[in-house]
Amino acid sequence: MQIDPRHLSLLAAIVDAGGVSEAATRIGKSQPSLSRSVSLLEARLGADLFEKGKRPLRPTELGLALADEGRTIARATEAAAQTARNHTSGRAGTIRVGGTPVFMDGVISAMIAAFQSEFTGLRVDQSYGYLDALMTELERDQIDLAICPIPRSEVPDGFEFQELLPGRNVIVCGVGHPLSRKTSLRLDDIAPYPWIAPPADSPLFRDLRQTLSEIGISDIRISFSGGSLASILNVLAGSDALAILPYTVVFAHRTTGRLHALPIKISHPERSLGLLSRKGPRSPAASHFCSYLASLVKALSRQIAEHERLQVWRV
């Protein structure tokens, strides 16, 4: 026997309200339409749902049992509606994000944590990669969004890029490094020390080679190469090696007491960190994430500017 689930939900509303007119007022329907729904359901069942001639309405045993099923249907309907609202508003769903390792680990991962603590219905699937691999993943619909540094002039056709932070690097060492105690530095001061090299296919590796060439260091001694941001930080903390890292990453780790930025002026890359995606509409979840991330990065930029103004932490 097929029973219209809407009739069961209306039956539950009548039973819970104690009468047809009361239920009509509560759920915003007319009394005649509710009465017709009850009559149709009784005809379908071939049984009474309310005792005849009783005022106020008194449900039969069958009426009570079916009203209980109607409440289940009403709860499921509301839950389904809420699920749909969450997805269409970008507060639920899955976001597939790829990004360059140093920025993802050094800055973005903390922002993802803040995002998920506020919007618990959203799942983030994160992967690592550099620009060419990330664009391939975007083209194949393997990720929704790439967070990576790229010159705006090099954004390929079919993609759109939302700039978040300008490219800016700094030479760093561990806090116990001999150079960390110097208030002024010459290029000769850094020449004797070895360097940590990022992965060879990373933009940061190209920055390292270009920076050392510009400041006249041709004999580069590499003591450690590759590795994650965590391993780079650990090597810096336990050795006399130097490294080039994005300024924003160093700023984000300023309270850990592990890094020291050396006051040496170097050129900065002509690229920006930003959000790269295919042209066209994004999913509601991805759009929500992009807006949230952009707001956090804007706040971080303000913090950096204020910190530099007060602490004169300039490089």
Side-chain angles (χ1 to χ4, degrees), residues 151-263:
R152 179 171 289 278
S153 60
E154 295 182 12
V155 177
D157 292 339
F159 290 84
E160 56 187 357
F161 183 71
Q162 179 182 351
E163 183 177 318
L164 294 178
L165 291 167
R168 187 178 178 192
N169 291 331
V170 60
I171 298 176
V172 295
C173 62
V175 292
H177 197 286
L179 296 181
S180 66
R181 295 185 288 272
K182 289 181 172 288
T183 56
S184 62
L185 290 174
R186 298 172 303 174
L187 296 182
D188 290 345
D189 293 326
I190 68 172
Y193 294 100
W195 290 84
I196 295 174
D201 56 345
S202 70
L204 207 54
F205 181 78
R206 295 192 293 272
D207 293 346
L208 171 64
R209 298 191 66 86
Q210 180 178 340
T211 298
L212 295 183
S213 175
E214 289 176 352
I215 62 180
I217 298 178
S218 56
D219 185 16
I220 305 173
R221 183 159 61 95
I222 303 296
S223 64
F224 179 82
S225 64
S228 64
L229 176 63
S231 63
I232 291 174
L233 296 180
N234 287 333
V235 173
L236 282 172
S239 73
D240 62 354
L242 304 176
I244 287 182
L245 288 175
Y247 182 94
T248 311
V249 172
V250 177
F251 180 83
H253 285 77
R254 71 194 185 283
T255 59
T256 64
R258 304 181 69 189
L259 292 177
H260 179 79
L262 298 179

Side-chain angles (χ1 to χ4, degrees), residues 29 46 55 76 81 145 152 226 244 293 299 311:
K29 289 188 174 293
R55 290 292 183 272
L145 185 70
R152 179 171 289 278
I244 287 182
L293 193 64
Q311 302 297 329

Side-chain angles (χ1 to χ4, degrees), residues 122-140:
L122 282 157
R123 168 176 167 170
V124 177
D125 290 344
Q126 188 221 290
S127 59
Y128 295 108
Y130 297 112
L131 181 59
D132 290 344
L134 292 172
M135 285 196 298
T136 298
E137 292 177 357
L138 286 168
E139 288 173 338
R140 295 175 178 174

Side-chain angles (χ1 to χ4, degrees), residues 83-107:
T83 297
R85 287 193 293 269
N86 287 341
H87 276 265
T88 55
S89 66
R91 293 174 176 266
T94 300
I95 308 156
R96 302 167 300 168
V97 181
T100 50
V102 168
F103 273 117
M104 295 304 292
D105 291 348
V107 179

